[in-house]
């Protein structure tokens, strides 16, 4: 016997709005919004590092132990991998749901950076093995997927913007460091040498993302794109 059920559902239509919530995705803080809300990644980093230590120990046993020890180690490794994937998915579900609900309740469009190929680009930079592992092991693509389908489900507009210069531009005065290769950003701190603004670097980036997201709906609305274009051409 076969039972075939077909369900059709129409997602709600997003309300028109001129407000944009910029979101900067990262590793130290999983997500930082243009309103200053942060989702810390400190506890997540500790859990992932613990998983990595256990995995390294099991891999050593799987390669050098007795036959039964190797079999047992491989079984535990498989369960550990599934547990880590579920932990990652649960965190990404929680973060994406809270962001979408906030945008819906405040009638805002969400703007994200288009980070296609970001992993390949960052891996070309000189970094330690630990830093490379931490960057590659967290699924920002999964978080973006969760944000995308939840935005459709709850009737929230979602736009993607060009990520170039979003972390290097001061959101206050739209100034970029005049020396090529230099930046006003140092780790999590941003100190503008032009207007003197000092604050969280990821929040600064999120505000720039918000401004670029607004430009998509209102061309020329903030002037940010023109400033970046002049800097690049100059």
């Amino acid at each position: 016997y076969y039972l075939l059920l077909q369900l059709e559902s129409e997602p709600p239509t997003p309300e028109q709005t001129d407000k944009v919530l910029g979101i900067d995705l990262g590793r130290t803080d999983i997500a930082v919004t243009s309103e200053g809300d942060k989702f810390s990644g400190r506890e997540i980093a500790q859990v992932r590092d613990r998983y990595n230590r256990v995995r390294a120990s099991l891999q050593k046993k799987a390669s050098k132990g007795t036959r039964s020890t190797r079999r047992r180690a491989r079984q535990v490794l498989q369960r550990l991998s599934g547990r880590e994937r579920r932990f990652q998915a649960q965190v990404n579900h929680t973060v994406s749901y809270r962001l979408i609900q906030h945008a819906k309740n405040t009638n805002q469009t969400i703007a994200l950076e288009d980070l296609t190929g970001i992993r390949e680009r960052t891996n070309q930079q000189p970094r330690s093995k630990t830093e490379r592992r931490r960057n590659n092991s967290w699924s920002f693509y999964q978080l973006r997927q969760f944000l995308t389908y939840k935005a459709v489900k709850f009737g929230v507009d979602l736009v993607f913007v060009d990520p170039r210069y979003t972390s290097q531009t001061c959101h206050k005065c739209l100034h970029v460091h005049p020396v090529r290769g230099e930046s006003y950003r140092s780790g999590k701190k941003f100190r503008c040498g032009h207007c003197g603004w000092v604050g969280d670097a990821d929040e600064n980036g999120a505000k720039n993302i918000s401004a670029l997201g607004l430009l998509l709906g209102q061309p020329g609305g903030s002037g940010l794109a023109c400033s970046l274009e002049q800097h690049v051409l100059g």
Side-chain angles (χ1 to χ4, degrees):
Y1 296 94
Y2 295 92
L3 178 63
L4 179 62
L5 297 177
Q6 182 174 348
L7 300 177
E8 293 185 4
S9 176
E10 287 292 332
T13 302
E15 297 182 19
Q16 295 295 320
T17 180
D18 59 355
K19 297 183 293 182
V20 179
L21 181 69
I23 301 176
D24 185 86
L25 303 181
R27 202 186 68 213
T28 303
D29 288 320
I30 300 175
V32 178
T33 74
S34 52
E35 297 177 349
D37 296 322
K38 301 176 184 179
F39 295 84
S40 176
R42 179 177 300 177
E43 182 179 353
I44 293 170
Q46 293 173 350
V47 172
R48 288 163 59 199
D49 286 345
R50 186 175 72 248
Y51 275 123
N52 185 68
R53 289 192 298 269
V54 175
R55 186 182 299 108
S57 175
L58 289 171
Q59 287 171 342
K60 184 176 180 180
K61 293 179 180 179
S63 63
K64 296 183 178 180
T66 63
R67 179 179 297 180
S68 61
T69 300
R70 293 197 302 268
R71 183 175 63 252
R72 176 64 176 169
R74 286 193 294 268
Q75 292 173 347
V76 176
L77 275 170
Q78 188 174 8
R79 290 202 300 270
L80 185 69
S81 177
R83 191 179 304 167
E84 188 171 10
R85 286 196 302 271
R86 290 190 294 272
F87 164 72
Q88 177 176 280
Q90 188 270 333
V91 171
N92 282 337
H93 270 303
T94 300
V95 172
S96 59
Y97 180 81
R98 290 177 61 182
L99 288 171
I100 291 296
Q101 288 302 309
H102 176 72
K104 178 178 175 62
N105 293 336
T106 54
N107 191 27
Q108 295 187 84
T109 294
I110 285 182
L112 296 172
E113 292 177 305
D114 183 359
L115 298 178
T116 304
I118 185 65
R119 179 171 296 178
E120 290 76 12
R121 293 195 297 272
T122 55
N123 280 341
Q124 294 176 359
Q125 302 174 3
R127 294 179 303 163
S128 67
K129 183 178 179 180
T130 300
E131 287 299 307
R132 187 183 298 270
R133 172 185 60 77
R134 286 174 176 172
N135 183 72
N136 291 345
S137 60
W138 191 257
S139 179
F140 296 106
Y141 178 70
Q142 184 189 66
L143 178 55
R144 190 176 75 170
Q145 284 184 309
F146 289 173
L147 284 167
T148 300
Y149 90 76
K150 284 182 173 66
V152 173
K153 178 180 179 180
F154 292 104
V156 175
D157 268 333
L158 179 66
V159 297
F160 294 96
V161 304
D162 192 329
R164 289 177 295 181
Y165 292 97
T166 55
S167 63
Q168 300 178 38
T169 304
C170 175
H171 77 278
K172 203 75 173 179
C173 65
L174 306 183
H175 193 263
V176 181
H177 201 292
V179 179
R180 181 177 292 275
E182 298 292 331
S183 175
Y184 292 134
R185 174 170 183 160
S186 178
K188 281 283 290 177
K189 189 173 184 178
F190 190 97
R191 183 186 295 273
C192 181
H194 185 257
C195 70
W197 184 86
V198 179
D200 184 273
D202 292 331
E203 182 179 345
N204 175 73
K207 290 181 182 296
N208 287 329
I209 294 169
S210 173
L212 286 171
L214 183 61
L215 280 175
L216 294 180
Q218 300 177 353
S222 70
L224 178 60
C226 296
S227 299
L228 294 183
E229 183 178 0
Q230 291 172 2
H231 175 77
V232 173
L233 294 176

